[in-house]
Amino acid sequence: MAEPFYITTAINYPNGRPHIGHAYEGIATDVVARFQRMRGRDVRLVTGTDEHGLKMDQTARKAGRATIDLATEMSGYFREMCAKLDIAYDDFVRTTEPRHHAASIELWRRMEANGDLYLDRYEGWYSVRDEAFYDESELVEGEGGAKLSPQGTPVEWTVEETWFFRLSQYQDRLLAHYRDNPDFIRPESRRNEVLRFVEGGLKDLSVSRTSFDWGVPVPNSADHVMYVWVDALTTYMTGVGFPDVDGELFQRYWPANIHMIGKDIVRFHAVYWPAFLMSAGLPLPKQVFAHGFLLARGGEKMSKSAGNVVDPMELAETYGVDPLRYFFMREIAFGQDGSFSAEAIVTRSNAELANSFGNLAQRTLSMIFKNCDGVLSDGYTPTDADLALGNTVRDACRTELPREFETLSFSTGLEAWMRAVFACNQYVDEQAPWALRKTDPDRMVAVLMTLFRCVRDLAIAVRPVVPTSADRLLDQLGIPANERDFAALDDAEWFARLVNSGFRLEQPQGVFPRLELPDSESA
């Protein structure tokens, strides 16, 4: 049986439509899931919407709508985003679902049974936008002396009866876990940030609210609903069948291999979440990876107030889904902040997908179609140049790219892939098969078949990033659907089988068209 691999996105807060940050995280998570499937693992990808909390309730009230109606509408937009961007999830969990309420209540009961919950009075600073409590020492001063959270969001003084979680009791256990599992929090900058926070001392955490009722009710505690992060984090287990801890899904997939999140919510995932799970007697996820922010042109953080929020659906419609996916994975060192613009997307896609790989594939297949009647042949003896190119491409596709993708170093892996593409194009220029057609037809065939093999390897390797385009190209190459994973790259007999099958190449169609900037962007 294939080795299981469980990965999640953060559970998206749907008080508005998806923005480009949601798309970036979803694409990256999907690339990991597709990559691991191609490595032969049994992958489960879970995403969803975190629909409770004061912010959601306030947004609905301002719009004069029932909160559940707004949540249902907005959750639908996140599903649409996944469908549009080829984010192929296995389960989409809404926190308003009965199955999720059951999961949250079971986690609560486990923490209560362990003696980690007690009733008291909370007085302190709360950010509605972050759905987070902050200590006075964490606040920063805004314009006019206003107090702001570390994220720059407004805070308000809150006083109410609340259930507390004994987070202070878990400081040493958390630090020991970080020490014994150095890859639990990645990248290193985020790990250091969490270590500093926990080493500074932990205070007990308010985990229920009475000032509103939009949330999961606390068991046997009238007027209390769970703090939204207790509820939201539990979604990761809802997606594998919790509270049925003996069920097939939970037994097979929990604990998660990776929680993919934004760096602004690392504390909830790397401090509160593992402490909750320790209290509940449940295994901890293997890794929390906190990626950076996407910044607008000029390095500005995107926000509604700045008027620079980008709709990912419009971006995909304008430039194409696969070019957008490729740009994000290639352009930005994953884990760091990165900027993007329409010009950058067009430049990267045209230079690498259209002009380099797309042109390589189109030239190769066109010459085979025209000069060989589309017929493949393995009746040739490769030269040192042919073997050297094959080795370069195999190293990139079988070793370098997989090694880097395994550690989420997407841009580095794609850099190795592009070096192999460049090597192929240099080989074409040096061998000049169009000239060999007249001077040495047999050598022309050897060159074209060498290129055919390389194009196939390159298309398979880049499939996790540009799945639709890669599959369109592999269809034209006659590669069966079950021979498009990394194991297929180690199959020495694939080309002979294809030749003997009688496959004949048809008139090739380009799969990476050149992009143009819309007039509004080029002005």
Side-chain angles (χ1 to χ4, degrees), residues 144-173:
K147 293 181 182 293
L148 302 175
S149 77
Q151 311 297 336
T153 57
V155 295
E156 55 189 45
W157 187 257
T158 300
V159 179
E160 62 183 309
E161 181 185 71
T162 181
W163 285 93
F164 280 85
F165 173 75
R166 299 184 193 277
L167 184 65
S168 59
Q169 302 298 310
Y170 285 86
Q171 179 174 344
D172 291 342
R173 287 184 63 182

mmCIF file of all heavy atoms in Angstrom, residues 144-173:
data_model
loop_
_atom_site.group_PDB
_atom_site.id
_atom_site.type_symbol
_atom_site.label_atom_id
_atom_site.label_comp_id
_atom_site.label_asym_id
_atom_site.label_seq_id
_atom_site.Cartn_x
_atom_site.Cartn_y
_atom_site.Cartn_z
ATOM 1 N N GLY A 144 -2.213 58.894 15.896
ATOM 2 C CA GLY A 144 -2.997 59.491 16.968
ATOM 3 C C GLY A 144 -2.901 58.756 18.288
ATOM 4 O O GLY A 144 -3.759 58.923 19.162
ATOM 5 N N GLY A 145 -1.869 57.898 18.423
ATOM 6 C CA GLY A 145 -1.686 57.168 19.667
ATOM 7 C C GLY A 145 -2.557 55.941 19.809
ATOM 8 O O GLY A 145 -2.607 55.319 20.885
ATOM 9 N N ALA A 146 -3.263 55.558 18.723
ATOM 10 C CA ALA A 146 -4.122 54.379 18.781
ATOM 11 C C ALA A 146 -3.292 53.129 18.990
ATOM 12 O O ALA A 146 -2.178 53.006 18.482
ATOM 13 C CB ALA A 146 -4.925 54.266 17.486
ATOM 14 N N LYS A 147 -3.840 52.188 19.754
ATOM 15 C CA LYS A 147 -3.164 50.917 19.983
ATOM 16 C C LYS A 147 -3.501 49.947 18.851
ATOM 17 O O LYS A 147 -4.665 49.821 18.472
ATOM 18 C CB LYS A 147 -3.580 50.311 21.329
ATOM 19 C CG LYS A 147 -3.116 51.113 22.538
ATOM 20 C CD LYS A 147 -3.541 50.452 23.830
ATOM 21 C CE LYS A 147 -3.116 51.276 25.036
ATOM 22 N NZ LYS A 147 -1.650 51.313 25.203
ATOM 23 N N LEU A 148 -2.459 49.288 18.360
ATOM 24 C CA LEU A 148 -2.629 48.332 17.266
ATOM 25 C C LEU A 148 -1.961 47.018 17.616
ATOM 26 O O LEU A 148 -1.011 46.980 18.415
ATOM 27 C CB LEU A 148 -2.014 48.883 15.969
ATOM 28 C CG LEU A 148 -2.549 50.220 15.441
ATOM 29 C CD1 LEU A 148 -1.738 50.656 14.222
ATOM 30 C CD2 LEU A 148 -4.031 50.099 15.098
ATOM 31 N N SER A 149 -2.427 45.941 16.994
ATOM 32 C CA SER A 149 -1.804 44.637 17.178
ATOM 33 C C SER A 149 -0.457 44.606 16.465
ATOM 34 O O SER A 149 -0.131 45.523 15.689
ATOM 35 C CB SER A 149 -2.709 43.553 16.580
ATOM 36 O OG SER A 149 -2.591 43.560 15.159
ATOM 37 N N PRO A 150 0.357 43.562 16.670
ATOM 38 C CA PRO A 150 1.633 43.455 15.929
ATOM 39 C C PRO A 150 1.423 43.414 14.415
ATOM 40 O O PRO A 150 2.340 43.739 13.659
ATOM 41 C CB PRO A 150 2.223 42.135 16.444
ATOM 42 C CG PRO A 150 1.601 41.927 17.777
ATOM 43 C CD PRO A 150 0.224 42.485 17.668
ATOM 44 N N GLN A 151 0.208 43.032 13.965
ATOM 45 C CA GLN A 151 -0.096 43.003 12.536
ATOM 46 C C GLN A 151 -0.584 44.358 12.023
ATOM 47 O O GLN A 151 -0.886 44.501 10.830
ATOM 48 C CB GLN A 151 -1.183 41.949 12.241
ATOM 49 C CG GLN A 151 -0.940 40.583 12.861
ATOM 50 C CD GLN A 151 0.307 39.917 12.333
ATOM 51 O OE1 GLN A 151 0.754 40.225 11.243
ATOM 52 N NE2 GLN A 151 0.869 39.011 13.117
ATOM 53 N N GLY A 152 -0.708 45.344 12.929
ATOM 54 C CA GLY A 152 -1.178 46.666 12.536
ATOM 55 C C GLY A 152 -2.691 46.796 12.510
ATOM 56 O O GLY A 152 -3.232 47.764 11.974
ATOM 57 N N THR A 153 -3.404 45.830 13.101
ATOM 58 C CA THR A 153 -4.866 45.875 13.108
ATOM 59 C C THR A 153 -5.371 46.503 14.409
ATOM 60 O O THR A 153 -4.706 46.430 15.448
ATOM 61 C CB THR A 153 -5.454 44.459 12.976
ATOM 62 O OG1 THR A 153 -4.955 43.633 14.053
ATOM 63 C CG2 THR A 153 -5.031 43.827 11.651
ATOM 64 N N PRO A 154 -6.551 47.136 14.386
ATOM 65 C CA PRO A 154 -7.094 47.752 15.600
ATOM 66 C C PRO A 154 -7.383 46.718 16.683
ATOM 67 O O PRO A 154 -7.743 45.570 16.392
ATOM 68 C CB PRO A 154 -8.399 48.400 15.109
ATOM 69 C CG PRO A 154 -8.251 48.504 13.620
ATOM 70 C CD PRO A 154 -7.404 47.356 13.204
ATOM 71 N N VAL A 155 -7.205 47.119 17.934
ATOM 72 C CA VAL A 155 -7.555 46.264 19.067
ATOM 73 C C VAL A 155 -8.554 47.005 19.945
ATOM 74 O O VAL A 155 -8.624 48.235 19.929
ATOM 75 C CB VAL A 155 -6.311 45.857 19.890
ATOM 76 C CG1 VAL A 155 -5.385 44.979 19.067
ATOM 77 C CG2 VAL A 155 -5.565 47.082 20.399
ATOM 78 N N GLU A 156 -9.324 46.248 20.703
ATOM 79 C CA GLU A 156 -10.284 46.862 21.617
ATOM 80 C C GLU A 156 -10.204 46.145 22.959
ATOM 81 O O GLU A 156 -9.910 44.951 23.031
ATOM 82 C CB GLU A 156 -11.698 46.795 21.048
ATOM 83 C CG GLU A 156 -12.160 45.402 20.690
ATOM 84 C CD GLU A 156 -13.485 45.390 19.939
ATOM 85 O OE1 GLU A 156 -13.632 46.222 19.002
ATOM 86 O OE2 GLU A 156 -14.347 44.561 20.284
ATOM 87 N N TRP A 157 -10.454 46.899 24.021
ATOM 88 C CA TRP A 157 -10.425 46.327 25.366
ATOM 89 C C TRP A 157 -11.675 45.478 25.568
ATOM 90 O O TRP A 157 -12.788 45.919 25.315
ATOM 91 C CB TRP A 157 -10.364 47.439 26.413
ATOM 92 C CG TRP A 157 -10.174 46.923 27.808
ATOM 93 C CD1 TRP A 157 -11.111 46.806 28.776
ATOM 94 C CD2 TRP A 157 -8.951 46.454 28.369
ATOM 95 N NE1 TRP A 157 -10.564 46.287 29.918
ATOM 96 C CE2 TRP A 157 -9.224 46.052 29.697
ATOM 97 C CE3 TRP A 157 -7.649 46.312 27.887
ATOM 98 C CZ2 TRP A 157 -8.256 45.538 30.546
ATOM 99 C CZ3 TRP A 157 -6.674 45.803 28.742
ATOM 100 C CH2 TRP A 157 -6.967 45.428 30.046
ATOM 101 N N THR A 158 -11.483 44.244 25.974
ATOM 102 C CA THR A 158 -12.584 43.290 26.094
ATOM 103 C C THR A 158 -12.662 42.768 27.518
ATOM 104 O O THR A 158 -11.635 42.419 28.119
ATOM 105 C CB THR A 158 -12.369 42.099 25.127
ATOM 106 O OG1 THR A 158 -12.304 42.594 23.783
ATOM 107 C CG2 THR A 158 -13.501 41.093 25.240
ATOM 108 N N VAL A 159 -13.876 42.733 28.047
ATOM 109 C CA VAL A 159 -14.115 42.191 29.388
ATOM 110 C C VAL A 159 -15.296 41.236 29.287
ATOM 111 O O VAL A 159 -16.393 41.636 28.881
ATOM 112 C CB VAL A 159 -14.431 43.307 30.413
ATOM 113 C CG1 VAL A 159 -14.701 42.701 31.786
ATOM 114 C CG2 VAL A 159 -13.296 44.316 30.476
ATOM 115 N N GLU A 160 -15.087 39.982 29.634
ATOM 116 C CA GLU A 160 -16.186 39.025 29.619
ATOM 117 C C GLU A 160 -15.794 37.752 30.354
ATOM 118 O O GLU A 160 -14.608 37.458 30.536
ATOM 119 C CB GLU A 160 -16.609 38.688 28.178
ATOM 120 C CG GLU A 160 -15.543 38.034 27.330
ATOM 121 C CD GLU A 160 -16.002 37.805 25.896
ATOM 122 O OE1 GLU A 160 -17.090 37.226 25.704
ATOM 123 O OE2 GLU A 160 -15.272 38.208 24.976
ATOM 124 N N GLU A 161 -16.805 36.987 30.778
ATOM 125 C CA GLU A 161 -16.551 35.671 31.353
ATOM 126 C C GLU A 161 -16.084 34.732 30.240
ATOM 127 O O GLU A 161 -16.610 34.779 29.122
ATOM 128 C CB GLU A 161 -17.839 35.121 31.978
ATOM 129 C CG GLU A 161 -17.651 33.754 32.620
ATOM 130 C CD GLU A 161 -18.956 33.171 33.131
ATOM 131 O OE1 GLU A 161 -19.802 32.788 32.278
ATOM 132 O OE2 GLU A 161 -19.128 33.090 34.355
ATOM 133 N N THR A 162 -15.115 33.906 30.541
ATOM 134 C CA THR A 162 -14.566 33.053 29.500
ATOM 135 C C THR A 162 -13.947 31.790 30.093
ATOM 136 O O THR A 162 -13.542 31.765 31.264
ATOM 137 C CB THR A 162 -13.488 33.819 28.701
ATOM 138 O OG1 THR A 162 -12.966 32.990 27.678
ATOM 139 C CG2 THR A 162 -12.340 34.252 29.589
ATOM 140 N N TRP A 163 -13.914 30.774 29.301
ATOM 141 C CA TRP A 163 -13.128 29.582 29.631
ATOM 142 C C TRP A 163 -11.684 29.838 29.221
ATOM 143 O O TRP A 163 -11.418 30.414 28.157
ATOM 144 C CB TRP A 163 -13.653 28.354 28.903
ATOM 145 C CG TRP A 163 -14.921 27.804 29.478
ATOM 146 C CD1 TRP A 163 -16.198 28.087 29.095
ATOM 147 C CD2 TRP A 163 -15.020 26.865 30.544
ATOM 148 N NE1 TRP A 163 -17.110 27.393 29.853
ATOM 149 C CE2 TRP A 163 -16.404 26.623 30.767
ATOM 150 C CE3 TRP A 163 -14.101 26.205 31.360
ATOM 151 C CZ2 TRP A 163 -16.875 25.750 31.746
ATOM 152 C CZ3 TRP A 163 -14.561 25.328 32.335
ATOM 153 C CH2 TRP A 163 -15.926 25.105 32.534
ATOM 154 N N PHE A 164 -10.774 29.425 30.073
ATOM 155 C CA PHE A 164 -9.352 29.548 29.782
ATOM 156 C C PHE A 164 -8.725 28.168 29.554
ATOM 157 O O PHE A 164 -9.122 27.192 30.195
ATOM 158 C CB PHE A 164 -8.611 30.238 30.932
ATOM 159 C CG PHE A 164 -8.735 31.728 30.928
ATOM 160 C CD1 PHE A 164 -9.829 32.346 31.529
ATOM 161 C CD2 PHE A 164 -7.779 32.522 30.327
ATOM 162 C CE1 PHE A 164 -9.961 33.723 31.531
ATOM 163 C CE2 PHE A 164 -7.894 33.911 30.321
ATOM 164 C CZ PHE A 164 -8.978 34.507 30.918
ATOM 165 N N PHE A 165 -7.738 28.130 28.674
ATOM 166 C CA PHE A 165 -6.920 26.932 28.464
ATOM 167 C C PHE A 165 -5.571 27.165 29.146
ATOM 168 O O PHE A 165 -4.969 28.238 29.003
ATOM 169 C CB PHE A 165 -6.715 26.693 26.962
ATOM 170 C CG PHE A 165 -5.744 25.578 26.654
ATOM 171 C CD1 PHE A 165 -6.123 24.256 26.825
ATOM 172 C CD2 PHE A 165 -4.459 25.867 26.218
ATOM 173 C CE1 PHE A 165 -5.230 23.229 26.547
ATOM 174 C CE2 PHE A 165 -3.559 24.851 25.930
ATOM 175 C CZ PHE A 165 -3.947 23.512 26.101
ATOM 176 N N ARG A 166 -5.095 26.149 29.865
ATOM 177 C CA ARG A 166 -3.859 26.292 30.639
ATOM 178 C C ARG A 166 -2.630 26.219 29.730
ATOM 179 O O ARG A 166 -1.793 25.328 29.836
ATOM 180 C CB ARG A 166 -3.778 25.214 31.725
ATOM 181 C CG ARG A 166 -4.913 25.262 32.732
ATOM 182 C CD ARG A 166 -4.730 24.231 33.841
ATOM 183 N NE ARG A 166 -5.936 24.056 34.624
ATOM 184 C CZ ARG A 166 -6.309 24.843 35.627
ATOM 185 N NH1 ARG A 166 -5.543 25.866 35.992
ATOM 186 N NH2 ARG A 166 -7.431 24.613 36.299
ATOM 187 N N LEU A 167 -2.518 27.191 28.851
ATOM 188 C CA LEU A 167 -1.388 27.233 27.923
ATOM 189 C C LEU A 167 -0.065 27.373 28.667
ATOM 190 O O LEU A 167 0.965 26.839 28.224
ATOM 191 C CB LEU A 167 -1.573 28.407 26.946
ATOM 192 C CG LEU A 167 -0.535 28.552 25.839
ATOM 193 C CD1 LEU A 167 -0.570 27.364 24.879
ATOM 194 C CD2 LEU A 167 -0.750 29.861 25.062
ATOM 195 N N SER A 168 -0.084 28.056 29.806
ATOM 196 C CA SER A 168 1.150 28.271 30.568
ATOM 197 C C SER A 168 1.794 26.957 31.004
ATOM 198 O O SER A 168 3.006 26.910 31.242
ATOM 199 C CB SER A 168 0.859 29.133 31.805
ATOM 200 O OG SER A 168 -0.099 28.498 32.635
ATOM 201 N N GLN A 169 0.995 25.901 31.126
ATOM 202 C CA GLN A 169 1.521 24.609 31.551
ATOM 203 C C GLN A 169 2.265 23.880 30.435
ATOM 204 O O GLN A 169 2.877 22.830 30.676
ATOM 205 C CB GLN A 169 0.368 23.721 32.041
ATOM 206 C CG GLN A 169 -0.439 24.317 33.180
ATOM 207 C CD GLN A 169 0.404 24.538 34.423
ATOM 208 O OE1 GLN A 169 1.110 23.640 34.873
ATOM 209 N NE2 GLN A 169 0.349 25.747 34.984
ATOM 210 N N TYR A 170 2.212 24.412 29.226
ATOM 211 C CA TYR A 170 2.772 23.685 28.075
ATOM 212 C C TYR A 170 4.055 24.317 27.520
ATOM 213 O O TYR A 170 4.579 23.854 26.514
ATOM 214 C CB TYR A 170 1.714 23.569 26.971
ATOM 215 C CG TYR A 170 0.673 22.540 27.330
ATOM 216 C CD1 TYR A 170 -0.433 22.893 28.098
ATOM 217 C CD2 TYR A 170 0.823 21.208 26.966
ATOM 218 C CE1 TYR A 170 -1.370 21.950 28.476
ATOM 219 C CE2 TYR A 170 -0.103 20.259 27.335
ATOM 220 C CZ TYR A 170 -1.198 20.632 28.093
ATOM 221 O OH TYR A 170 -2.121 19.677 28.465
ATOM 222 N N GLN A 171 4.576 25.320 28.210
ATOM 223 C CA GLN A 171 5.774 25.986 27.709
ATOM 224 C C GLN A 171 6.946 25.014 27.549
ATOM 225 O O GLN A 171 7.564 24.935 26.474
ATOM 226 C CB GLN A 171 6.175 27.131 28.640
ATOM 227 C CG GLN A 171 7.437 27.850 28.190
ATOM 228 C CD GLN A 171 7.725 29.071 29.052
ATOM 229 O OE1 GLN A 171 6.861 29.554 29.778
ATOM 230 N NE2 GLN A 171 8.952 29.579 28.982
ATOM 231 N N ASP A 172 7.245 24.266 28.581
ATOM 232 C CA ASP A 172 8.397 23.357 28.528
ATOM 233 C C ASP A 172 8.175 22.231 27.510
ATOM 234 O O ASP A 172 9.102 21.844 26.791
ATOM 235 C CB ASP A 172 8.679 22.770 29.910
ATOM 236 C CG ASP A 172 9.208 23.814 30.880
ATOM 237 O OD1 ASP A 172 9.662 24.879 30.409
ATOM 238 O OD2 ASP A 172 9.145 23.584 32.108
ATOM 239 N N ARG A 173 6.961 21.720 27.465
ATOM 240 C CA ARG A 173 6.677 20.628 26.513
ATOM 241 C C ARG A 173 6.793 21.118 25.068
ATOM 242 O O ARG A 173 7.294 20.400 24.202
ATOM 243 C CB ARG A 173 5.287 20.042 26.767
ATOM 244 C CG ARG A 173 5.195 19.194 28.027
ATOM 245 C CD ARG A 173 3.835 18.560 28.175
ATOM 246 N NE ARG A 173 3.533 17.634 27.082
ATOM 247 C CZ ARG A 173 2.379 16.982 26.955
ATOM 248 N NH1 ARG A 173 1.413 17.176 27.850
ATOM 249 N NH2 ARG A 173 2.181 16.158 25.954
#
